[in-house]
Amino acid sequence: MTDQHGMPDMPMHMRRCGVDPVPELHACRARAELSTVDTEFGQPAFLVTRYEDVRAVLGDSTRFSNAADFSRRRGAEPASPEQLARARAGNILVQDPPEHTRLRRLLAREFTQARMRDLRPRIEIIVDARLDALAAAGRPADLVTEFAMPIPLLVICELFAVPEADRAEFQARSGRLFDVSLETGSRLAAARENREYMASLAAAALAAPGEDILGRLVRDHPDELTRDELTGIATLVLVAGHETTASMLALGTQALLWHPDQLALVRDDPAAVRPAVEELLRWLSVVHSATLRLTTAEIRLQNTTVPKGSLVLCSLPAANRDPAYTPDPDRLDIRRGRATHVAFGHGLHHCLGAPLARTQLETALPRLFRRFPGLAPVAAEPEYSPYAVVYGARKLPVTW
């Protein structure tokens, strides 16, 4: 469906008013029964919006399965069983235990706090280089293209030892992958191209394992991961880790510019940085929803009977702005101290890369404000990117 301008008619759970969820989403949370939303798979989904209900769904992998068959996407050719198996290999977002448990165990050591401490110096170098590039771009400069987008991309390139010559196309392909204003065929083509590239990285790691994530996985677990699984792991880290962190860097900067007293704390008080990042994650909730779940039994939820075999979609922004979760939820307050948000999901599928995202945000934001103490937006609002799986800013012109 399209609107009067020929653009896709966005489902309710993806609509925003600036950085806020639309009032209709808040109204859904207040209703006694669940609403439904259309999905691109041709089947409606029950929309879960209350914080307590979202945690209940995401925390119950037995009754709410991640292993639904999503090969019936609108406008796409049906996938064969072999194609579907290859697409799912290594992707823990679409796996249930015990396969999910096996893969997560192998990956967990790559995203520990100890690994992040080892990686932080390299992230600091990347951030400082981008701050130099921002200064060199001159005023005004676009914070998205000069700072927010390159940092997580370069960190992921470091994680997988992506050659310098491939990095520009790597970023362009990622942008096409996430842009839901594109036709399904274009997005699927970008996904195929991306997977082919990740398959080449997996093949290189199998042939000569280096010091990147894929190389360590091959050395540490030589008989436990196939090439398709290594490809799926690399694809997942890109999909889950690039656009999300970039969006948080851009919109997190804008949010703090709107609240200069809180920005000053992030800039000047190291102890304020971590709680500030948690509050920004809650308040912005750039990921619209958790992965679709499929009910394995009839469920009673919020005065609604959800039949077995139904799709369930959890709205993360609505849950994180639930007044039953935290008082005055529409106000940004970095002193709030609520790290129990669901911006990274919850339960078995809580984002494995959350420590990596937090490390980048905790490193980049205070460095940005110290390097440019007079940083200011050129416009009252950034140019948002509404037609994206991850909500963010397409442009954020700044001066200093």
Side-chain angles (χ1 to χ4, degrees):
M1 297 178 63
T2 58
D3 63 16
Q4 66 270 30
H5 305 294
M7 297 301 289
D9 186 11
M10 301 298 290
M12 179 173 53
H13 72 281
M14 294 179 68
R15 299 175 196 158
R16 306 274 180 131
C17 292
V19 298
D20 299 326
V22 291
E24 294 91 337
L25 203 54
H26 292 300
C28 285
R29 193 178 54 223
R31 292 189 189 120
E33 296 182 345
L34 296 179
S35 301
T36 58
V37 291
D38 289 332
T39 70
E40 59 185 314
F41 305 102
Q43 181 180 352
F46 288 91
L47 179 64
V48 182
T49 52
R50 296 179 181 177
Y51 175 80
E52 190 172 315
D53 292 338
V54 165
R55 281 176 61 92
V57 170
L58 300 185
D60 186 349
S61 61
T62 301
R63 297 190 301 164
F64 298 94
S65 169
N66 274 55
D69 179 1
F70 294 132
S71 61
R72 298 164 293 168
R73 191 186 300 252
R74 287 176 181 159
E77 293 292 327
S80 69
E82 293 78 15
Q83 290 172 323
L84 185 60
R86 291 189 68 190
R88 296 172 67 87
N91 184 353
I92 60 176
L93 289 181
V94 295
Q95 306 283 359
D96 287 335
E99 184 63 10
H100 171 272
T101 307
R102 178 184 74 87
L103 289 170
R104 191 167 179 115
R105 175 181 59 83
L106 300 179
L107 284 169
R109 66 183 297 180
E110 298 298 332
F111 297 96
T112 61
Q113 291 296 337
R115 186 74 80 188
M116 294 305 105
R117 284 194 295 271
D118 292 342
L119 186 60
R120 187 181 288 271
R122 184 57 194 160
I123 293 175
E124 291 173 350
I125 291 171
I126 289 171
V127 169
D128 288 343
R130 294 318 307 171
L131 292 173
D132 291 342
L134 183 63
R139 296 172 288 182
D142 180 15
L143 195 80
V144 174
T145 57
E146 298 294 342
F147 183 75
M149 290 297 289
I151 288 173
L153 175 71
L154 291 169
V155 170
I156 290 171
C157 288
E158 290 284 327
L159 293 177
F160 292 109
V162 175
E164 289 282 348
D166 295 350
R167 295 186 179 188
E169 177 58 26
F170 194 78
Q171 179 172 338
R173 192 164 48 234
S174 175
R176 295 195 301 273
L177 191 64
F178 284 100
D179 188 350
V180 298
S181 70
L182 298 177
E183 294 180 351
T184 299
S186 298
R187 290 178 61 205
L188 289 173
R192 284 192 297 271
E193 293 169 10
N194 180 68
R195 189 168 183 85
E196 288 169 5
Y197 184 79
M198 294 306 191
S200 71
L201 296 182
L206 287 165
E211 294 304 317
D212 62 304
I213 286 181
L214 295 181
R216 287 194 296 270
L217 287 171
V218 169
R219 282 200 310 275
D220 295 345
H221 311 284
D223 302 317
E224 297 184 65
L225 289 165
T226 66
R227 175 177 169 175
D228 282 344
E229 286 175 329
L230 290 168
T231 300
I233 288 167
T235 301
L236 175 62
V237 173
L238 169 64
V239 169
H242 178 207
E243 200 87 0
T244 50
T245 306
S247 294
M248 279 301 306
L249 284 169
L251 293 184
T253 298
Q254 178 65 82
L256 291 170
L257 289 171
W258 284 329
H259 300 82
D261 57 328
Q262 300 188 57
L263 184 155
L265 286 173
V266 172
R267 183 190 63 219
D268 301 333
D269 182 4
V273 174
R274 177 157 295 184
V277 165
E278 297 307 319
E279 174 67 351
L280 288 168
L281 287 163
R282 180 201 71 82
W283 196 66
L284 294 167
S285 295
V286 297
V287 178
H288 297 294
S289 64
T291 307
L292 280 166
R293 265 49 172 187
L294 183 73
T295 55
T296 60
E298 183 178 280
I299 307 293
R300 187 72 177 170
L301 192 63
Q302 197 175 321
N303 293 333
T304 301
T305 299
V306 180
K308 178 181 178 180
S310 300
L311 294 180
V312 174
L313 187 149
C314 292
S315 171
L316 304 182
N320 282 333
R321 297 286 191 100
D322 188 346
Y325 160 54
T326 191
D328 197 10
D330 293 326
R331 179 173 57 87
L332 180 72
D333 180 4
I334 66 170
R335 305 170 187 84
R336 193 181 298 269
R338 300 301 299 271
T340 54
H341 57 75
V342 290
F344 289 122
H346 175 66
L348 287 178
H349 291 277
H350 181 272
C351 179
L352 190 64
L356 178 61
R358 286 183 167 111
T359 300
Q360 292 178 78
L361 293 168
E362 291 169 9
T363 302
L365 290 174
R367 286 175 116 79
L368 171 66
F369 298 130
R370 287 197 295 267
R371 177 71 178 271
F372 299 100
L375 193 74
V378 171
E381 297 267 347
E383 182 181 325
Y384 296 108
S385 53
Y387 298 101
V389 176
V390 176
Y391 191 67
R394 185 179 291 112
K395 292 182 180 179
L396 176 52
V398 294
T399 188
W400 52 88

